[in-house]
Amino acid sequence: MTKIVDHLKASDETLFSFEILPPIKGHGIQKLFNQVEPLMEFRPKFIDVTYHREEYVYKKKQNGLLEKVSLRKRPGTVGICAALMNKFQVDPVPHLICGGFSKEETESALMDCHFLGIDNVLALRGDAIKSEQRFVPTEGGHAYASELVKQISDMNKGQYLYQEDEGAESTNFCTGVAGYPEKHFEAPNFNTDLKHLKRKVDLGAEFIVTQMFFDNDKFFDFVDRCRAADIHVPIIPGLKPLTTLRQLSILPSIFFIDLPDELVQAVEACKTNEDVRKVGIEWSINQCKELKKRNVPCLHFYSMGKSDNIKTIASEIF
Ligand code: FAD
């Protein structure tokens, strides 16, 4: 399949792409297909599929004692990518995280992708599991996304773990990484965060997808800072249309982003969630129009299980 950077290079126009979540364990793939299908008319060149780490939960045993069990709520990222390729002939981008993986497990996951013809991945560290205060690397795994990028770059050179085989086949991954227009919440300051972002690029990342933002100036400023820091790969803006009043507090607390005053006031004036949805769509359309005018390579939407609002926005933009 085609590398994301080649898709971007081949087009003078701003492209359209989106991110989906694997279904909750036990649910079929049809619902996901129904969500993807209406967006295919906008010819997305790629679709990202998130990866969800295990969580620990306590289950009551028959004797009344609690047992700590590991639960993965949304498994199946790589399988879904293969199914998307098969059904829609689109390039899938599986997200791969450090948390929960040893390097060997990462290597196996990457080999599955390679054998399936999945040549694009988004390399991430992942967040702390819910029961932990901060991210703790898995034993034998990576502590930062940059280390994961390096492992992928090594495989692209035919270098596998603990193996000296001159004839080993090289993989052909195009690796993307995350960037934060409002800074990653753990970074002590913006410049340090950019230094770490640059490291990911120097180790082989070929494109950046940003965290969601609602103020385009933050994105433009981020791009300027990246260029000044010698980061020259394409930077794809991540967008999320607001859909509920609750998101006014949830999004900033989960993603460490600010919502502009004007947007907050417009949402607070809404009487129903349907009104909020309309405000969210309008805000996103205005963001997209400006971003497109400034020639961003692609508009990337976080669907979070909803496609109707993205369809409305895409119909105005593409
Ligand atoms: P890193 O690049 O490793 O950075 C993490 C922090 O460590 C930053 O503060 C950075 O400045 C700092 N840092 C980096 N290197 C060093 C170093 N050498 N020394 C000291 N500090 C360092 N999470 C999921 O679980 N699944 C997903 O599918 C998923 N998809 C995402 C998609 C996008 C586009 C984005 C923006 C985020 C996504 N996330 C996902 C969330 C992401 O995993 C978290 O934001 C996580 O906290 C950081 O991941 P990272 O890859 O940016 O980490």
Side-chain angles (χ1 to χ4, degrees):
M1 302 290 279
T2 310
K3 291 183 174 198
I4 302 304
V5 280
D6 291 333
H7 280 305
L8 301 178
K9 262 187 227 149
S11 176
D12 295 333
E13 302 275 303
T14 297
L15 301 178
F16 165 71
S17 66
F18 58 95
E19 174 192 287
I20 55 171
L21 279 60
I24 292 193
K25 186 159 78 173
H27 290 247
I29 200 166
Q30 190 54 46
K31 206 171 148 199
L32 197 67
F33 286 161
N34 296 345
Q35 186 196 324
V36 169
E37 193 113 52
L39 298 178
M40 293 312 292
E41 70 173 275
F42 305 106
R43 287 173 280 114
K45 291 285 189 266
F46 58 97
I47 301 176
D48 279 47
V49 184
T50 53
Y51 193 92
H52 297 259
R53 226 196 135 155
E54 77 284 5
E55 290 170 28
Y56 290 111
V57 292
Y58 288 91
K59 293 270 174 209
K60 208 169 195 174
K61 294 203 291 187
Q62 272 186 339
N63 61 9
L65 293 176
L66 292 176
E67 183 188 15
K68 188 178 175 189
V69 292
S70 164
L71 180 77
R72 197 180 293 281
K73 280 194 182 154
R74 292 179 185 270
T77 298
V78 173
I80 285 164
C81 286
L84 288 175
M85 267 167 93
N86 189 35
K87 186 163 172 70
F88 298 109
Q89 287 75 52
V90 65
D91 276 308
V93 184
H95 292 189
L96 213 58
I97 60 172
C98 304
F101 282 83
S102 67
K103 288 174 199 148
E104 286 80 4
E105 287 161 340
T106 296
E107 189 174 72
S108 299
L110 285 162
M111 286 173 72
D112 283 343
C113 291
H114 177 58
F115 293 144
L116 285 164
I118 298 171
D119 290 330
N120 297 290
V121 289
L122 196 73
L124 303 143
R125 188 196 68 181
D127 283 317
I129 29 181
K130 284 198 179 124
S131 48
E132 287 175 347
Q133 297 277 320
R134 53 198 298 274
F135 179 82
V136 180
T138 297
E139 204 181 326
H142 298 302
Y144 295 107
S146 54
E147 297 171 8
L148 174 55
V149 172
K150 162 96 172 50
Q151 183 175 9
I152 301 169
S153 295
D154 285 347
M155 288 176 70
N156 280 349
K157 291 181 214 139
Q159 292 164 8
Y160 293 78
L161 295 170
Y162 324 119
Q163 183 180 327
E164 314 246 325
D165 180 351
E166 300 270 303
E169 183 179 83
S170 304
T171 55
N172 192 27
F173 289 111
C174 171
T175 308
V177 290
Y180 301 84
E182 297 179 59
K183 185 182 90 59
H184 185 262
F185 70 100
E186 290 168 27
N189 59 43
F190 220 112
N191 285 343
T192 311
D193 206 23
L194 275 188
K195 189 180 81 187
H196 295 141
L197 178 58
K198 179 162 168 25
R199 182 161 173 73
K200 294 193 275 193
V201 172
D202 289 346
L203 287 168
E206 293 182 77
F207 65 100
I208 295 166
V209 184
T210 75
Q211 182 57 279
M212 65 180 76
F213 57 90
F214 292 85
D215 176 352
N216 283 353
D217 285 344
K218 299 221 162 124
F219 173 79
F220 297 134
D221 187 43
F222 174 69
V223 174
D224 288 347
R225 280 168 177 250
C226 285
R227 301 313 182 214
D230 232 3
I231 298 170
H232 298 290
V233 298
I235 303 178
I236 298 175
L239 297 153
K240 154 93 187 103
L242 280 183
T243 48
T244 64
L245 179 66
R246 267 187 82 218
Q247 287 172 344
L248 284 191
S249 54
I250 289 178
L251 296 182
S253 69
I254 297 183
F255 299 108
F256 301 90
I257 50 160
D258 272 358
L259 301 178
D261 257 349
E262 200 187 327
L263 175 61
V264 174
Q265 280 171 26
V267 170
E268 282 177 347
C270 291
K271 301 237 170 346
T272 64
N273 266 343
E274 183 47 30
D275 294 341
V276 177
R277 207 178 140 271
K278 284 187 191 146
V279 168
I281 287 172
E282 201 187 313
W283 189 272
S284 193
I285 288 174
N286 288 334
Q287 272 194 283
C288 290
K289 281 185 177 163
E290 191 185 18
L291 289 162
K292 197 170 173 222
K293 220 163 141 191
R294 298 274 288 260
N295 280 330
V296 297
C298 182
L299 295 168
H300 182 72
F301 291 87
Y302 295 112
S303 76
M304 291 186 173
K306 294 195 172 64
S307 57
D308 52 345
N309 52 351
I310 296 174
K311 187 176 161 78
T312 311
I313 297 160
S315 315
E316 286 281 325
I317 304 296
F318 296 99

